[in-house]
Amino acid sequence: MLKKVVLAVGLIAIPSIAPAQQQPQQQPQQQPEQQLCQLECTSTEKSERVTRSCHALNATDCTNLGRAETGVGRTCRGYITPNCVQGR
């Protein structure tokens, strides 16, 4: 009976002595390239006033920004451009 206990204890200790297996390193996920996003918003109340702003975003986020900024009294659109224009 004593031998079985020693063997059982010995088997438990063996895995803790064995070297840990190395897990393969994960490659970082590449983010879509950021570009210049021109956001243009036109006021639909009173006068047709246009405001412009520039953001560093990828094409999808640029389009979504235009949708998100559109609301009551103004319409916005976002598009990728090589040259942004700031201001009104």
Side-chain angles (χ1 to χ4, degrees):
M1 183 73 175
L2 182 61
K3 288 182 181 179
K4 289 182 182 179
V5 172
V6 171
L7 288 175
V9 171
L11 291 175
I12 293 172
I14 291 173
S16 64
I17 296 171
Q21 293 180 350
Q22 292 182 351
Q23 295 180 357
Q25 293 181 353
Q26 295 179 355
Q27 295 293 330
Q29 293 180 353
Q30 291 192 356
Q31 297 292 326
E33 184 178 331
Q34 290 192 339
Q35 300 166 327
L36 293 178
C37 171
Q38 180 77 62
L39 180 67
E40 290 185 349
C41 294
T42 305
S43 174
T44 56
E45 295 177 356
K46 296 183 182 179
S47 64
E48 291 287 320
R49 194 173 94 199
V50 177
T51 57
R52 295 179 179 93
S53 58
C54 190
H55 307 271
L57 298 170
N58 63 49
T60 302
D61 290 342
C62 183
T63 302
N64 289 337
L65 178 62
R67 289 182 186 141
E69 292 294 320
T70 296
V72 176
R74 73 182 200 168
T75 302
C76 300
R77 69 184 188 110
Y79 58 92
I80 298 297
T81 181
N83 300 312
C84 278
V85 178
Q86 294 281 6
R88 298 173 190 220

